[in-house]
Amino acid sequence: MVPLEQAQVSVEDRGFLFGDGVYEVIRAYGGHFFELGAHMRRLQHSAEGARLALGAIAEDLPALMRRLLVQNDLQDTNMYVQYTRGVAHPRAHAFPSEAKPTLLVMPLAIHSLPEGAVNKGVRAISLPDLRWQRCDIKSTMLLPNILAKQQARERGAFEAIFVRDGLVTEGSSTNTFAVFQGILATHSSGPHILGGVTRDAVVRLASTIGVVLREEAFTLEQLCQADEAFLTSTTSEVLPITQVDDRRIGHGRPGPVTLRLREAFLGIARG
Ligand code: PDD
């Protein structure tokens, strides 16, 4: 454990050279990690998909993360975990015969959401989903997501929503939900989306507040005609979307189903 400015990684780390690694972002509320078990299962899934062995880290990580919280006197924060295939010399694409994986765990300050994001909702743009066929692996190889998010920023939007084969998959760093005549819909889990921990929590919450949910993809046109839409992620929680491209969603205000789910989500997260 070292101060952030003293933490160093070799320039030959494959995470740096190839984006050859996986990661997690886990949020702590009041000193407690939200859905830590789900994040650990997803890290295991990502590591397996990348053919990285987690080994003892799988057991040690929760305690390590808790120590970081305590030593930094943090209650509400995000925790970043990155696990790469480590340092290999010389650079070569195939796995090195011997590599010692690099584990990085660091607290990340919670960025405040843009002014009015929760009360007024955010704008999103749509973009073709140019990513690979294993979006279920939470890989550090994020160039398509970064390019999409930057395009959103440059067009004054909060998020870029990906469309693959005519269907809305997810946002560049969030999952996407829409409400059609009271029925909640989101893309099914599988290789075309990241299985969001927040998404899964919202899926479970829907039934507890009596909202019917379909894990079924919708088209961009359907999204634009939805009564409500929102995005989910560890960092954004449940955030209303009130505009996609130049189209207003519903009445252009956060909808009742979104607000109920947001409240229910914050209730369990903060509770
Ligand atoms: N992003 N989809 C993508 C592509 C993501 O990168 C994320 C998370 C999500 C939402 O997953 P979760 O609810 O588990 O946070 C969906 C994190 C926060 C990030 O890269 O910073």
Side-chain angles (χ1 to χ4, degrees):
M1 212 174 283
V2 291
L4 186 60
E5 58 282 3
Q6 284 172 27
Q8 292 190 347
V9 178
S10 163
V11 294
E12 287 191 301
D13 191 281
R14 292 175 60 97
F16 178 63
L17 291 178
F18 294 110
D20 186 6
V22 296
Y23 77 106
E24 277 297 325
V25 182
I26 304 142
R27 187 144 174 176
Y29 292 87
H32 296 280
F33 290 111
F34 178 67
E35 289 282 354
L36 183 55
H39 281 285
M40 290 300 125
R41 284 191 292 281
R42 186 171 66 187
L43 182 63
Q44 187 78 54
H45 174 82
S46 298
E48 277 166 20
R51 295 174 61 187
L52 278 161
L54 278 184
I57 283 167
E59 288 94 64
D60 298 347
L61 203 48
L64 200 69
M65 285 167 48
R66 286 194 190 98
R67 255 179 67 202
L68 269 172
L69 273 192
V70 172
Q71 296 215 353
N72 286 290
D73 197 17
L74 292 167
Q75 292 283 313
D76 295 287
T77 187
N78 291 312
M79 196 63 81
Y80 182 79
V81 176
Q82 174 169 313
Y83 191 62
T84 77
R85 212 176 305 277
V87 176
H89 180 83
R91 177 187 179 276
H93 285 60
F95 298 171
S97 50
E98 271 179 49
K100 201 169 145 283
T102 304
L103 173 69
L104 162 71
V105 188
M106 64 173 172
L108 287 180
I110 295 172
H111 284 289
S112 46
L113 294 166
E115 175 88 27
V118 173
N119 296 333
K120 294 189 190 143
V122 295
R123 287 188 53 211
I125 59 166
S126 64
L127 286 176
D129 196 339
L130 301 177
R131 299 172 302 160
W132 65 335
Q133 305 280 349
R134 287 302 309 274
C135 300
D136 55 312
I137 298 174
K138 199 164 172 58
S139 163
T140 56
M141 191 182 66
L142 285 170
L143 195 52
N145 307 60
I146 290 163
L147 291 173
K149 186 77 90 185
Q150 183 58 23
Q151 225 175 302
R153 289 288 184 275
E154 287 168 3
R155 287 167 58 184
F158 180 77
E159 181 58 304
I161 292 176
F162 287 133
V163 181
R164 190 193 286 260
D165 298 329
L167 298 173
V168 169
T169 51
E170 61 177 338
S172 69
S173 65
T174 59
N175 291 109
T176 308
F177 286 76
V179 180
F180 304 99
Q181 296 179 328
I183 295 173
L184 186 61
T186 192
H187 196 291
S188 56
S189 336
H192 289 162
I193 67 160
L194 181 78
V197 170
T198 321
R199 171 197 183 278
D200 293 351
V202 165
V203 164
R204 288 194 302 276
L205 278 172
S207 66
T208 66
I209 64 163
V211 172
V212 176
L213 170 103
R214 287 206 194 115
E215 289 187 63
E216 225 172 74
F218 41 83
T219 64
L220 176 61
E221 183 55 31
Q222 285 170 323
L223 171 63
C224 292
Q225 290 183 17
D227 303 311
E228 302 177 33
F230 62 89
L231 52 83
T232 63
S233 78
T234 296
T235 45
S236 300
E237 300 167 318
V238 176
L239 201 58
I241 302 170
T242 44
Q243 194 181 327
V244 176
D245 297 326
D246 292 323
R247 314 254 314 256
R248 198 175 72 176
I249 307 295
H251 299 292
R253 293 187 299 275
V257 176
T258 306
L259 294 177
R260 273 165 62 208
L261 282 166
R262 180 179 157 78
E263 198 180 322
F265 175 80
L266 293 178
I268 57 159
R270 292 179 184 159

